[in-house]
């Protein structure tokens, strides 16, 4: 009754199922491992962030370049603020008791004793930096030599949250905090990193350090989880369709064996050839005998 499994058609179906099911399971397991890795990295980053807040500040140069270990660590530097190149970074959101509010960062470059300048986010203010009243609330940076301490951050890129990478900003505003975006604004070298101050001047509010990209439970992590489900569903669908086709063929073969369905009408059996159009026309044009 199962001789249909030896037909070329079923050989193709069986080979496809044997290859497709393990492939789908492998891809689903791989996507699940990617999601689990992101969860583990997120947990590790939270532990590091908690340790970084409690750890003593270290010299800036000892923490560079910024990576997943040094990001968020407390870094210290000494120098003079460049009051001629204070920049406002628009489109930045901060969450407080009133919810998420739109505002801007106040960024001032610190000319360190080593010659390079360190971008320092002195704090956040609500409002629009293009509004003169909101921009007037920015306090002037301290004069003379200062020591700053803040959370170390990697330079932003186009995929960073809140970045304005399209250009078109008025003078005095900066869309992306990075050495590359500052190279044409200031006439000196800039560190490929920045810090956000822990202690700020009123009315500025401290900006919490951001998590390292690729280490949080972001959209990509949940995409990996969604792909996991899709691949396992594909594997189950292949199994379901194989059994559905198998049962249909088996029932048809059984009915044919019992004589319920003619053998030539069973699935997989070529149907009897129909007369061609010329033969049908000849039959129709044949004279009908009279009694």
């Amino acid at each position: 009754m199962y001789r249909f499994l030896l037909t070329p058609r079923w050989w193709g179906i069986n080979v496809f199922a044997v290859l497709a099911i393990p492939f789908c399971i492998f891809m689903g397991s791989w996507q699940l491992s990617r999601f689990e890795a992101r969860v583990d990295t997120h947990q590790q980053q939270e532990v590091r962030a908690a340790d970084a807040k409690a750890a003593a500040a270290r010299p800036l140069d000892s923490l560079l370049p910024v990576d997943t270990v040094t990001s968020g660590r407390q870094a210290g530097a000494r120098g003079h603020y460049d009051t001629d190149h204070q920049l406002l970074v628009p489109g930045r959101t901060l969450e407080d008791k009133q919810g998420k509010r739109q505002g801007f960062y106040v960024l001032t470059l610190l000319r360190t004793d080593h010659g390079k300048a360190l971008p320092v986010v002195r704090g956040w203010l609500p409002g629009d930096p293009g509004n003169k009243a909101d921009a007037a609330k920015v306090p002037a940076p301290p004069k003379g030599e200062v020591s700053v301490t803040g959370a170390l951050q990697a330079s932003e890129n186009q995929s960073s949250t809140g970045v304005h990478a399209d250009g078109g900003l008025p003078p005095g505003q900066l869309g992306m905090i990075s050495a590359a975006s500052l190279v044409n604004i200031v006439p000196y070298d800039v560190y490929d990193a920045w810090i956000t101050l822990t202690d700020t001047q009123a009315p500025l509010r401290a900006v919490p350090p951001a998590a390292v990209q690729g280490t949080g439970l972001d959209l990509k992590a949940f995409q990996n989880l969604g792909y996991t489900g899709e691949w396992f569903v594909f594997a189950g669908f292949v199994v379901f369709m194989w059994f559905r086709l198998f049962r249909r063929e088996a029932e048809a073969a059984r009915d044919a064996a019992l004589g319920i369905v003619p053998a030539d009408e069973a699935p997989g059996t070529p149907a009897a050839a129909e007369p061609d159009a010329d033969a049908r026309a000849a039959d129709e044009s044949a004279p009908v005998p009279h009694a």
Side-chain angles (χ1 to χ4, degrees):
M1 185 170 63
Y2 301 129
R3 293 179 61 184
F4 62 85
L5 291 173
L6 302 177
T7 61
R9 174 171 173 266
W10 269 93
W11 270 106
I13 294 174
N14 291 335
V15 169
F16 173 79
V18 168
L19 295 178
I21 293 172
F23 177 76
C24 292
I25 293 175
F26 168 78
M27 292 299 297
S29 301
W30 178 70
Q31 290 288 352
L32 181 60
S33 67
R34 292 288 302 275
F35 173 74
E36 291 175 342
R38 287 181 178 273
V39 172
D40 293 340
T41 306
H42 174 69
Q43 294 174 344
Q44 294 171 5
Q45 190 63 27
E46 285 187 332
V47 173
R48 288 174 184 154
D51 294 341
K53 290 180 180 179
R58 293 176 55 185
L60 173 66
D61 291 333
S62 67
L63 298 174
L64 297 177
V66 185
D67 54 23
T68 56
V69 176
T70 60
S71 179
R73 293 291 301 269
Q74 293 294 307
R78 292 183 62 84
H80 297 78
Y81 278 122
D82 183 0
T83 57
D84 294 332
H85 292 96
Q86 179 161 267
L87 300 167
L88 306 181
V89 187
R92 300 307 173 107
T93 303
L94 197 67
E95 187 171 3
D96 56 14
K97 295 179 181 179
Q98 301 179 12
K100 291 184 177 181
R101 292 195 293 167
Q102 193 79 357
F104 56 94
Y105 293 167
V106 178
L107 184 145
T108 310
L109 291 160
L110 181 75
R111 300 292 303 274
T112 66
D113 299 333
H114 299 287
K116 282 188 175 182
L118 174 66
V120 177
V121 172
R122 295 169 48 222
W124 174 91
L125 281 174
D128 181 5
N131 186 303
K132 292 184 178 180
D134 292 335
K137 298 177 183 178
V138 177
K143 296 181 179 180
E145 187 175 32
V146 295
S147 295
V148 297
T149 301
L152 185 63
Q153 300 280 264
S155 289
E156 295 180 332
N157 53 56
Q158 292 185 353
S159 61
S160 300
T161 303
V163 162
H164 183 91
D166 298 333
L169 294 175
Q173 295 188 26
L174 182 70
M176 181 167 58
I177 307 174
S178 69
S181 62
L182 289 165
V183 67
N184 295 323
I185 298 178
V186 296
Y188 41 77
D189 293 334
V190 179
Y191 280 105
D192 190 19
W194 56 284
I195 66 170
T196 169
L197 293 185
T198 306
D199 298 322
T200 60
Q201 299 172 259
L204 296 175
R205 296 192 53 187
V207 176
V212 182
Q213 286 188 321
T215 61
L217 295 180
D218 52 9
L219 179 60
K220 290 185 178 180
F222 290 102
Q223 283 179 341
N224 292 136
L225 187 60
Y227 294 151
T228 298
E230 288 181 359
W231 282 112
F232 288 147
V233 168
F234 291 159
F237 180 74
V238 172
V239 174
F240 167 75
M241 289 303 299
W242 188 92
F243 275 106
R244 183 177 180 182
L245 292 173
F246 173 80
R247 191 175 72 171
R248 189 181 70 176
E249 296 271 359
E251 290 177 351
R254 182 189 58 192
D255 292 344
L258 296 175
I260 300 175
V261 177
D264 58 355
E265 295 183 7
T269 303
E274 295 183 358
D276 57 19
D278 293 338
R280 290 198 303 269
D283 291 342
E284 292 174 357
S285 62
V288 178
H290 295 280

